[in-house]
Amino acid sequence: MSTLLSGKDVRNLLISELSCNVEKISSQPGLAVILVGEDPASQVYVRNKSKACEKVGYSHQTIKLGESTSQSDLLDLINDLNMDPKIDGILIQIPLPAHICEATIQNAVDPAKDVDGFHPENLGMLLAGNPRYIPCTPKGVVHLLNHYNISTSGKNVAIVGRSVIVGRPLSMLLSMKTEMGNATVTLCHSRTTDLAEVVSQADIVVAAIGIPEFLTREHIAKDAVVIDVGINRVKDSAKKSGFRLTGDVHPNALDGWASAYTPVPGGVGPMTIAMLLQNTWDSHCLRNDIDV
Ligand code: GUN
């Protein structure tokens, strides 16, 4: 029997907790989300973020800009939001169109409102072992493991994918000298020699490469814990939408093979949103000197 690690359930728990917190205070946390362009997956993610804000009682705005928006117009908008006292969190959905430099945009966000945790100041604080805002997906993975009492201490963890959004910060978090750290982490990537050999040594496997069903039973030890960060759209003519969602892990390495695994959808995705709500709450409290 494999344990299903339900990010949906854990997100719902956190939403209840945060809603109670919001009722206790006289002010209201505020999040601004910027979406540039028409990427269909990003549109869904942004909609889910605003629905979640609605549920917990945050004020929120989604600012949708055309694909051809200039970098300088986007920087002006970020500057206005940086100055707006009612905004606690600013999130710019990525990917951005190719003519906009993601690093320049992320660096323009006030680090105190950087609820995505992508600003170099926040990434640096994480690296230094004194985190402020931790990127939402890695933070969600750790929260989910903790919720299901899956200890990381002394475990071998293989993370497949070295992105700044997921793999790299997660490798920091899991190797830190903390209760939910203390793991021996191997960060695998496209140049890893004999990926199957490396990954099959792991007690916990995190797939974050963005390739549908890339990791299979051949890569993953029986009874490993499998965390699937991937959310890929693959063509499926049997579906009304014409596509289905699948993760980076093949189903043959999940139910009946893993000791515990995250489903796609309903696993890591909801946790990312839950951690965004948590970071926005933390920002509101920090910025307003609130202690609930
Ligand atoms: N695109 C995919 N994941 C994320 C995320 O966590 N934050 C932002 N801003 N964009 C994303």
Side-chain angles (χ1 to χ4, degrees):
M1 263 293 278
S2 306
T3 304
L4 184 98
L5 307 173
S6 171
K8 228 172 168 178
D9 289 355
V10 181
R11 175 203 58 196
N12 291 343
L13 269 178
L14 193 81
I15 283 182
S16 314
E17 278 172 37
L18 289 171
S19 316
C20 289
N21 286 349
V22 173
E23 279 173 17
K24 286 185 204 148
I25 60 172
S26 55
S27 52
Q28 194 183 25
L31 176 70
V33 175
I34 303 174
L35 173 64
V36 187
E38 311 285 332
D39 180 63
S42 292
Q43 287 179 355
V44 174
Y45 299 148
V46 162
R47 205 175 314 132
N48 289 343
K49 284 167 187 174
S50 77
K51 274 191 210 157
C53 285
E54 203 73 50
K55 280 193 183 144
V56 281
Y58 294 175
S59 81
H60 62 93
Q61 48 178 301
T62 300
I63 303 159
K64 294 186 178 170
L65 303 173
E67 185 84 24
S68 61
T69 301
S70 71
Q71 178 161 304
S72 75
D73 282 353
L74 183 54
L75 288 170
D76 287 346
L77 172 61
I78 292 169
N79 202 34
D80 290 346
L81 294 169
N82 282 342
M83 311 294 263
D84 185 339
K86 290 199 282 302
I87 298 293
D88 299 298
I90 303 168
L91 179 147
I92 301 108
Q93 188 66 28
I94 51 177
L96 287 167
H99 65 278
I100 298 177
C101 171
E102 270 172 19
T104 304
I105 295 304
Q106 284 156 359
N107 293 5
V109 175
D110 177 349
K113 296 187 175 187
D114 171 37
V115 288
D116 248 334
F118 295 160
H119 190 284
E121 186 174 312
N122 288 314
L123 289 170
M125 288 173 83
L126 172 61
L127 181 63
N130 177 32
R132 178 172 47 190
Y133 301 119
I134 298 172
C136 301
T137 301
K139 183 171 172 165
V141 168
V142 172
H143 190 102
L144 191 64
L145 291 170
N146 190 33
H147 178 87
Y148 284 95
N149 290 319
I150 297 172
S151 164
T152 53
S153 183
K155 300 280 177 64
N156 286 326
V157 179
I159 300 172
V160 187
R162 56 181 156 184
S163 71
V164 181
I165 301 184
V166 185
R168 259 188 274 171
L170 185 59
S171 70
M172 290 296 125
L173 276 175
L174 291 175
S175 55
M176 270 163 69
K177 202 169 182 177
T178 56
E179 205 187 320
M180 283 310 293
N182 287 323
T184 304
V185 180
T186 309
L187 187 54
C188 308
H189 46 76
S190 53
R191 301 290 173 93
T192 298
T193 309
D194 204 348
L195 186 73
E197 170 61 22
V198 177
V199 175
S200 64
Q201 303 298 316
D203 306 300
I204 301 174
V205 177
V206 181
I209 20 166
I211 304 175
E213 301 178 2
F214 179 76
L215 294 183
T216 67
R217 251 182 212 202
E218 280 66 52
H219 299 90
I220 298 175
K222 176 92 179 83
D223 292 329
V225 172
V226 179
I227 305 294
D228 194 347
V229 178
I231 306 177
N232 307 290
R233 288 176 170 220
V234 295
K235 275 194 186 142
D236 186 341
S237 54
K239 299 272 179 192
K240 216 168 129 192
S241 60
F243 69 87
R244 69 183 167 90
L245 294 180
T246 190
D248 290 352
V249 182
H250 192 279
N252 74 9
L254 300 174
D255 199 12
W257 184 260
S259 62
Y261 70 98
T262 57
V264 177
V268 175
M271 291 308 299
T272 299
I273 294 187
M275 295 303 110
L276 174 65
L277 297 175
Q278 179 70 60
N279 282 351
T280 304
W281 170 259
D282 291 347
S283 170
H284 185 69
C285 292
L286 272 171
R287 297 178 61 257
N288 295 282
D289 222 359
I290 293 171
D291 185 12
V292 172

